[in-house]
Amino acid sequence: MSEASHTAMGTVQPAAPGLRGVAADWSSDQRAFKNVSWGKAMMWIFLVSDTFVFGCFLVAYMTARMSTAVPWPNASEVFALHIGETNFPLLLIAIMTFVLISSSGTMAMAVNYGYRRNRKMTAILLLATAVLGAAFVGMQVFEWSKLISEGVRPWGNPWGAAQFGSTFFMITGFHGTHVTIGVIFLLIVARKVIRGDYDNGRRGFFTSRQGRWECVEIMGLYWHFVDLVWVFIFAFFYLW
């Protein structure tokens, strides 16, 4: 526990000794991270916990792939895009990856303009990021529907090891859910920026907390994490 408490006016008051000091700290909304806001701290804690979840999924995938005696389906053939009479290996996946990585660039610029309090450019770049994220989800839906039409199921597929379908749907579905949620929150934050909520401190509908420009940066943390996870999924699932 801290040896001093910060009041609402910024003055420092000495903490009471013993149990009274502990009770005072708990009841005065003390921050564990003095130089980091609760929003950033909670987002980092969430991202660390989510890293463990995705890590477990990828370890389970590698374990299933290395332990099965049945040949694993060839990613270049399974994920090939058929255009006319020609197969283009991993073409759709390459486009999806390019779109998602590009969205990280627009998100970074949105955060930059957010620091400058430029509402117009921040909103435009947030909406551009949301459009790219929605495009990624749309291509993922197309990929799912293509594989399902070709006979891929969580319990089997026409090309080899039965675990292929279950790991594919689990990992890409979980990641796609993250992207979809991110797109929704990008639209919400963009609306708040356009409306000027972060300039006039308008309170949120659910949390009743005053809006702050820091929300744009927190949104950026989440979005960059989602993009980074996709790089690992791309490397382990599509290139291996």
Side-chain angles (χ1 to χ4, degrees), residues 86-154:
T86 307
N87 290 337
F88 294 91
L90 299 178
L91 176 61
L92 179 63
I93 310 303
I95 296 173
M96 291 170 62
T97 304
F98 175 77
V99 168
L100 202 58
I101 297 300
S102 298
S103 72
S104 258
T106 56
M107 187 70 237
M109 288 190 287
V111 173
N112 188 4
Y113 279 103
Y115 282 133
R116 303 180 193 180
R117 306 294 191 263
N118 187 323
R119 286 170 50 192
K120 180 180 178 182
M121 289 304 301
T122 304
I124 290 174
L125 290 165
L126 285 172
L127 292 174
T129 306
V131 169
L132 291 171
F136 175 88
V137 174
M139 286 186 280
Q140 194 169 54
V141 170
F142 172 80
E143 181 192 30
W144 273 44
S145 60
K146 172 179 170 292
L147 292 180
I148 291 173
S149 66
E150 293 173 349
V152 178
R153 300 289 186 274

Side-chain angles (χ1 to χ4, degrees), residues 19-230:
L19 292 177
R20 291 184 60 190
V22 175
D25 274 353
W26 277 100
S27 60
S28 61
D29 195 22
Q30 283 285 310
R31 288 184 177 183
F33 307 98
K34 298 300 182 185
N35 298 320
V36 180
S37 67
W38 273 116
K40 280 187 186 176
M42 292 302 104
M43 177 54 75
W44 275 113
I45 290 172
F46 168 75
L47 297 182
V48 170
S49 63
D50 225 20
T51 300
F52 281 109
V53 175
F54 275 108
C56 290
F57 281 174
L58 290 176
V59 169
Y61 158 71
M62 290 187 287
T63 303
R65 181 163 179 172
M66 290 187 292
S67 61
T68 180
V70 181
W72 198 263
N74 188 335
S76 296
E77 298 175 359
V78 174
F79 299 110
L81 192 62
H82 309 286
I83 301 177
E85 299 297 327
T86 307
N87 290 337
F88 294 91
L90 299 178
L91 176 61
L92 179 63
I93 310 303
I95 296 173
M96 291 170 62
T97 304
F98 175 77
V99 168
L100 202 58
I101 297 300
S102 298
S103 72
S104 258
T106 56
M107 187 70 237
M109 288 190 287
V111 173
N112 188 4
Y113 279 103
Y115 282 133
R116 303 180 193 180
R117 306 294 191 263
N118 187 323
R119 286 170 50 192
K120 180 180 178 182
M121 289 304 301
T122 304
I124 290 174
L125 290 165
L126 285 172
L127 292 174
T129 306
V131 169
L132 291 171
F136 175 88
V137 174
M139 286 186 280
Q140 194 169 54
V141 170
F142 172 80
E143 181 192 30
W144 273 44
S145 60
K146 172 179 170 292
L147 292 180
I148 291 173
S149 66
E150 293 173 349
V152 178
R153 300 289 186 274
W155 50 86
N157 64 84
W159 305 294
Q163 298 93 330
F164 170 80
S166 57
T167 54
F168 170 78
F169 289 124
M170 178 181 66
I171 294 174
T172 60
F174 194 59
H175 178 265
T177 303
H178 277 67
V179 178
T180 304
I181 293 173
V183 169
I184 295 171
F185 275 93
L186 280 170
L187 296 175
I188 293 174
V189 173
R191 181 171 180 267
K192 287 177 175 290
V193 170
I194 295 171
R195 204 166 54 182
D197 288 9
Y198 300 147
D199 289 324
N200 55 36
R202 181 172 178 168
R203 295 185 179 278
F205 179 74
F206 290 108
T207 63
S208 296
R209 291 179 179 271
Q210 290 184 333
R212 295 172 299 170
W213 279 97
E214 186 188 56
C215 294
V216 178
E217 183 182 357
I218 294 173
M219 188 67 237
L221 289 174
Y222 176 84
W223 195 258
H224 294 315
F225 169 79
V226 169
D227 290 0
L228 180 62
V229 168
W230 176 255

